[in-house]
């Protein structure tokens, strides 16, 4: 359920914003166009938004600045504290993609950035199935996450990371559940969504899925 990576989230809390700003050479390409990615997710959101993996609150702030309501969910206490430094009055639930509070609000958009890959493919399918039951026709899911077109593309990226000595990035690529676009497409379509992909860098694709 992604909670096996919780220690990583706790450790990343202090350095995450430095990484997204390009100060960690290993992750420069991962976070290239970071602000544009967040802007795109925020701009495609509407109504009441449920955000999974709030992290340090960067996307949350952009969505709130659009005048939208956000139901914020983050499993890491350290990340929640960082988000609250930016958005002091934000209520953040301790939850994850599969275990989250039942809310009375009607949810129109479900968003996440740089987090969905912490679920296995089976867990991704279970999560999207849950969200399909929450959303109504015309509502949407907008995720931005690392994924690859195929195994060859992933191996190529891993070889490049190894050649450059980016051992932390290489370890991520080996141990986290990065998946492939055909699998993501199948998961969303079989759960009743029309899906669009937009690539932002070598790693990150934006997925917009509209409930049919």
């Amino acid at each position: 359920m992604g909670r096996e990576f919780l220690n990583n989230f706790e450790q990343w809390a202090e350095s995450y914003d430095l990484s997204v700003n390009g100060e960690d050479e290993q992750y420069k390409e991962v976070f290239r166009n970071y602000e544009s990615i967040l802007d795109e997710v925020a701009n495609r959101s509407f109504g009441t938004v449920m955000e999974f993996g709030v992290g340090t609150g960067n996307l949350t702030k952009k969505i709130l600045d659009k005048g939208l309501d956000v139901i914020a969910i983050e499993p890491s206490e350290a990340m929640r504290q960082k988000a609250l430094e930016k958005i002091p009055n934000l209520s953040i639930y301790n939850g994850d993609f599969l275990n989250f509070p039942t809310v009375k609000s009607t949810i129109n958009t479900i968003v996440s950035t740089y987090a969905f890959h912490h679920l296995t493919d089976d867990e991704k399918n279970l999560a999207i199935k849950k969200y399909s039951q929450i959303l109504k026709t015309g509502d949407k899911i907008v995720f931005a996450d690392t994924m690859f077109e195929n195994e060859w593309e992933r191996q190529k990226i891993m070889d490049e990371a190894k050649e450059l000595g980016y051992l932390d990035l290489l370890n991520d690529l080996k141990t986290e559940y990065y998946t492939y676009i055909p699998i993501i497409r199948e998961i969303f379509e079989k759960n009743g969504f029309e899906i669009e992909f937009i690539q932002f860098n070598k790693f990150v694709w934006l997925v917009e899925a509209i409930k049919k």
Side-chain angles (χ1 to χ4, degrees), residues 165-178:
Y166 293 170
L167 300 184
D168 290 338
L169 175 59
L170 181 61
N171 183 65
D172 291 346
L173 291 166
K174 287 180 176 179
T175 59
E176 300 190 11
Y177 305 126
Y178 300 112

Side-chain angles (χ1 to χ4, degrees), residues 40 44 116 141-149 179-189 193-200 203-210:
E40 193 69 25
R44 290 171 182 257
F116 199 48
I141 296 171
V142 188
F143 285 173
D145 198 23
T146 294
M147 62 188 76
F148 300 99
E149 294 183 82
T179 194
Y180 306 108
I181 285 176
I183 293 174
I184 291 292
R185 182 181 297 280
E186 180 183 7
I187 286 172
F188 277 93
E189 288 182 347
F193 292 89
E194 294 180 352
I195 187 168
E196 175 188 3
F197 295 89
I198 302 173
Q199 188 172 17
F200 276 85
F203 293 85
V204 176
W205 293 73
L206 182 141
V207 173
E208 181 178 63
I210 299 176

Side-chain angles (χ1 to χ4, degrees), residues 72-117:
I73 299 172
E74 169 58 54
S76 163
E77 181 178 355
M79 288 288 195
R80 292 197 298 270
Q81 290 304 314
K82 287 295 180 183
L84 288 171
E85 290 175 11
K86 296 175 185 173
I87 316 168
N89 296 323
L90 182 66
S91 296
I92 310 176
Y93 294 97
N94 181 356
D96 56 58
F97 284 105
L98 292 174
N99 296 290
F100 50 93
T102 301
V103 295
K104 294 181 180 180
S105 302
T106 297
I107 307 300
N108 303 110
T109 313
I110 297 175
V111 301
S112 181
T113 54
Y114 292 89
F116 199 48
H117 63 269

